[in-house]
Amino acid sequence: MAISRRTALGVAVAVALVVMLSAGMIPVRGHLSVATAGLVLVVPVVAGVVVGGLTAGIVAVVAGFVAYDVLFIPPYGTLAVGRVQNWAALAVYVIVLVLVAAVVTDQRRARDAATRREREARRLFELSEALVADSPHLAQRVVDTVARTFEARWVALMLPEQGDLATVAQSGEVPPHRLASLLGTAGTDLGLAVPLLPAVGSPETPAVVALVTEENPVGLLAVAPAPGNEHDRQLLATFANQAALAITRADLREAAVRAERLEAAEETRQILLRTVSHDLRTPLATIKASLSELLEPGSELAEPTRRLLLGLAEEQADRLDRLVANLLDVTRVEAGSLAVRTDAAAVDEIVDEAMATLGRPPVTVDIAADVPLVQADHTLICHVLVNLVDNALRYSPDHVEVSAVRADTGVELAVTDHGPGLAADQRARVGAGPGSGIDPVHGTGGRGTSPVWGQGHGGLGLAIANAFVAAHGSRLTVTDNAGHGSRLAFTLAGVPMHGDVDRGHGSAAGTRVSGASGPGVGPTVGADIPVGPVGPDIPVGAETA
Amino acid sequence: MAHLLVVDDDPALLTVLQIALSARGDQLTVVRTGREAIDRLALSPPDAVVLDLGLPDLDGVDVCRRVRQWSDVPVIVLSADGDEQRKVAALDAGADDYVTKPFGMAELQARLRAALRHGARRRGDPDPASVEIGPLHVDLAHHTVSVDGRVVDLTAREYDLLAYLARHAGKVCTHHLILQAVWGAGYGTESNYLRVYTHRLRQKLGSAGTMLRTHPGVGYQLTDDPDRVPGGQAR
């Protein structure tokens, strides 16, 4: 049996002290009582036990005994013990030392155990802590923490992916052949990978621990070299269980989030379908009703009435055309193929074009003289205005105003109507009180925008307008006009008058509006799924010019 | 000349309806919200109501339910949804018939005529001892049925079913309404029963069997309206 360095040191200290103390006492041993010498010789034994443990203590006791008996108990020079009194002293010496050695050793052991437990507890704490925080890098954190705690050369975490076991995180250089053999042995059946802790041997042999929760295998954790002692192995096993739970929990959460997103997307789709169905059928109903009336056999309609019916049918056909265009826009926003091309644009031109598209309805247009050029996509903003005005006209055919005024960051465009039924309707649809803003469609799964979509009319048009305004980094706000209609407004960034206006031309910023994640998408959950026509708000700032 | 109340929020469609229905000599009142409709119904009861289900303020189904609390006026709903469920809900809530958008004026006219006729009969005698529909005679007092004077032998359940439809002649009765009334409160979804019984009824009624109309996915209707298109779908 190899003697540990600590034992050897203890023995050396004890023997050296016995020799030194004995040498010091020999010249005066005639004047010393037998008991005094014994007392002095306790010192090396205690020192030996403290330094070297029990084995060193026993050697020290033997050395001290021999030295005491031979050198300090008359007759000197022999092991013989003369008087009965001296026997007693020797006996007391031995008993005391054996007890001291035993007590000191026990204490030592207890202290060592406490230290080890504390260290283990601290390591376990560190390990668990790595699992508490929800992090997208959970696997990497597990691996890093194990590597640090067990001072491993390499650590690899393998999880099943599409039926196969794959390494999802590793720390240190994992020898490829090791990994291959691990993946090979486990195969797809994790249940076979029972905890496998090889005996201490080659430093290259990894310990492989199965991560298991409630009998269900979750993955494999390989650590090389395998932990050297039983405590470390237990610690690793404990940690593996915790890691398994954490990984399972993360998976469940991810599944829950995914389910929620799907649900939200599905809801949006349902609303879209209802809205489309309603919006498309409404003009169709008028077209079909007028034409069927005109075709009625024996109908005796006066010529002006016939013309009126035909005019209505044509007007509704145009509306249907706009709806189809809107629908295509929805599809393009959804598919991510709609690009916002911002450029210096004149507000009056946009408004004029929108009015022309609508067939010049009786709308009051009021554009302030000091309105600067805006940084906007001409076509999209024209769409927005057409949709807003079309919507407003449905509620108050005679009192719609379009206004543009200078705002601090650019130009505020507003569509105001005074329809009596409108305020209540809008409130119901926006689902809030006066002055509430339509949520600018953050790509939060479309749920936040559903009030705008609602059962109401022009639902599709409003939603499109909302998405396009959001694509310009602005937001569409609804203000209740004290019970007499509503005001829908949004702000566009202005082009600095003194700047080089032409700079905007030709460098059209091809910011993509997309349901998928893109630049400027906030850290909102669900930003990475297509959620209907509600695009994320993409700031198209002056820097894109 | 009938007095009609038309409730729809689409001004273009209202204009067309006004032209077309007035051309046939009917007197028209048009309103654009559910609340106005209820007010009008209370103030000057019309002979029939044409009600759009998608109103801006109230749900059309709710309007039906409220009107039925105090009025028997025939109600024809216009459904733009193509949504069977809302149509059925409106019929359950008391609507008599439905027309799916987009519709031809001839179809709406036919429905209106049938509704007005049945409405007039209902007003004339709210609890009749017998119902006469075309060649069909249902004696509700003596539980006998005859077609062109020839007595038809029916089982108790077949009679109950026919009597229910006869009492509500002209109205599209949903599966749910029929099952609840004829089979009992514990029923409501067993539309396969109805398929079996209506089939037998049609066979036993012979030529009069064609008056028992099936509205797929919605319900059944007993009507002598000759130009009634079964199902009423313009598809």
Side-chain angles (χ1 to χ4, degrees), chain A residues 153-154 173-175 177-178 201-207 223-226:
Chain A
R153 190 164 305 138
W154 60 263
E173 285 295 311
V174 184
H177 67 280
R178 287 274 177 210
S202 150
E204 280 301 320
T205 314
V223 183

Side-chain angles (χ1 to χ4, degrees), chain A residues 162-176:
Chain A
Q162 287 148 10
D164 278 333
L165 208 54
T167 310
V168 294
Q170 63 181 62
S171 161
E173 285 295 311
V174 184

Side-chain angles (χ1 to χ4, degrees), chain A residues 277 281 288 292 305 394 457, chain B residues 9 32 81 101 103 105:
Chain A
S277 164
R281 285 235 171 108
K288 169 123 183 161
S292 65
T305 313
R394 310 189 55 148
H457 308 92
Chain B
D9 64 322
R32 294 173 64 171
D81 294 340
K101 282 185 187 174
F103 53 85
M105 282 312 297

Side-chain angles (χ1 to χ4, degrees), chain A residues 253-526:
Chain A
R253 194 188 348 270
E254 204 176 297
V257 167
R258 209 178 308 129
E260 204 172 292
R261 288 177 190 176
L262 278 178
E263 200 184 312
E266 180 56 30
E267 198 181 320
T268 311
R269 240 172 266 282
Q270 288 294 332
I271 294 170
L272 174 65
L273 201 62
R274 270 209 302 278
T275 314
V276 167
S277 164
H278 177 273
D279 285 10
L280 290 184
R281 285 235 171 108
T282 303
L284 262 185
T286 303
I287 294 170
K288 169 123 183 161
S290 335
L291 297 181
S292 65
E293 177 62 17
L294 286 164
L295 287 171
E296 189 81 350
S299 118
E300 290 166 14
L301 295 172
E303 185 55 25
T305 313
R306 295 182 64 86
R307 292 204 62 80
L308 178 61
L309 286 177
L310 282 171
L312 276 171
E314 196 204 5
E315 184 190 299
Q316 295 300 307
D318 287 343
R319 196 165 131 212
L320 202 55
D321 182 49
R322 285 202 298 278
L323 279 167
V324 171
N326 271 335
L327 208 56
L328 289 176
D329 288 340
V330 171
T331 320
R332 281 157 69 205
V333 170
E334 256 194 341
S337 64
L338 183 80
V340 178
R341 302 197 171 276
T342 64
D343 203 345
V347 174
D348 52 350
E349 281 174 22
I350 299 180
V351 172
D352 192 62
E353 192 181 319
M355 292 308 121
T357 307
L358 286 166
R360 307 246 167 239
V363 169
T364 314
V365 177
D366 181 14
I367 298 171
D370 64 340
V371 160
L373 291 180
V374 289
Q375 193 65 38
D377 185 315
H378 183 99
T379 316
L380 291 191
I381 294 302
C382 188
H383 266 305
V384 170
L385 282 176
V386 167
N387 287 348
L388 293 185
V389 172
D390 189 38
N391 182 61
L393 281 170
R394 310 189 55 148
Y395 294 98
S396 65
D398 311 318
H399 304 281
V400 175
E401 283 164 28
V402 176
S403 69
V405 293
R406 209 189 168 109
D408 24 295
T409 52
V411 177
E412 190 203 47
L413 280 150
V415 176
T416 314
D417 60 65
H418 303 280
L422 180 93
D425 179 25
Q426 286 285 8
R427 259 203 309 277
R429 269 162 46 208
V430 176
S436 70
I438 293 179
D439 193 38
V441 207
H442 282 299
T444 50
R447 190 168 282 175
T449 58
S450 48
V452 191
W453 283 83
Q455 285 288 324
H457 308 92
L460 189 59
L462 269 195
I464 290 289
N466 203 3
F468 286 177
V469 169
H472 280 77
S474 181
R475 47 182 286 156
L476 192 60
T477 55
V478 181
T479 317
D480 180 16
N481 246 351
H484 300 288
S486 295
R487 182 173 187 275
L488 285 104
F490 61 98
T491 307
L492 292 173
V495 176
M497 280 306 212
H498 53 271
D500 183 3
V501 174
D502 284 337
R503 209 173 48 194
H505 290 285
S507 64
T511 315
R512 295 189 92 69
V513 183
S514 134
S517 58
V521 176
T524 38
V525 181

Side-chain angles (χ1 to χ4, degrees), chain B residues 9-210:
Chain B
D9 64 322
D10 184 23
L13 185 61
L14 278 182
T15 311
V16 176
L17 289 179
Q18 204 149 21
I19 293 170
L21 295 176
S22 309
R24 294 195 183 42
D26 290 327
Q27 183 201 332
L28 230 66
T29 307
V30 295
V31 292
R32 294 173 64 171
T33 65
R35 274 179 233 286
E36 280 180 89
I38 290 171
D39 290 350
R40 281 305 169 113
L41 272 161
L43 287 173
S44 54
D47 298 317
V49 180
V50 176
L51 173 70
D52 186 19
L53 284 183
L55 295 174
D57 59 339
L58 294 175
D59 184 11
V61 178
D62 280 340
V63 175
C64 275
R65 198 172 291 124
R66 288 201 206 176
V67 167
R68 275 290 168 266
Q69 285 170 2
W70 41 265
S71 171
D72 260 347
V73 64
V75 175
I76 294 176
V77 294
L78 300 180
S79 115
D81 294 340
D83 182 354
E84 298 295 306
Q85 283 179 353
R86 276 176 52 81
K87 203 182 296 175
V88 170
L91 292 168
D92 274 340
D96 292 89
D97 207 341
Y98 61 89
V99 178
T100 307
K101 282 185 187 174
F103 53 85
M105 282 312 297
E107 190 188 354
L108 180 64
Q109 290 286 350
R111 305 286 176 96
L112 269 172
R113 270 200 305 278
L116 286 168
R117 201 165 54 241
H118 292 301
R121 196 182 49 224
R122 236 183 293 170
R123 262 199 310 282
D125 186 357
D127 193 16
S130 67
V131 181
E132 198 106 28
I133 309 156
L136 180 70
H137 179 91
V138 181
D139 188 333
L140 297 169
H142 299 97
H143 288 214
T144 55
V145 174
S146 59
V147 175
D148 288 327
R150 186 173 42 83
V151 174
V152 181
D153 192 24
L154 297 178
T155 66
R157 188 78 84 190
E158 286 163 358
Y159 169 78
D160 286 346
L161 174 58
L162 187 61
Y164 178 82
L165 292 172
R167 235 180 268 125
H168 299 89
K171 173 176 163 52
V172 177
C173 301
T174 62
H175 297 148
H176 183 80
L177 285 176
I178 301 174
L179 285 163
Q180 290 255 309
V182 177
W183 269 262
Y187 296 83
T189 55
E190 297 82 353
S191 50
N192 52 323
Y193 292 11
L194 296 178
R195 217 166 297 136
V196 173
Y197 276 88
T198 50
H199 179 68
R200 280 196 223 149
L201 265 180
R202 279 199 192 102
Q203 285 182 328
K204 291 190 178 180
L205 293 177
S207 59
T210 52

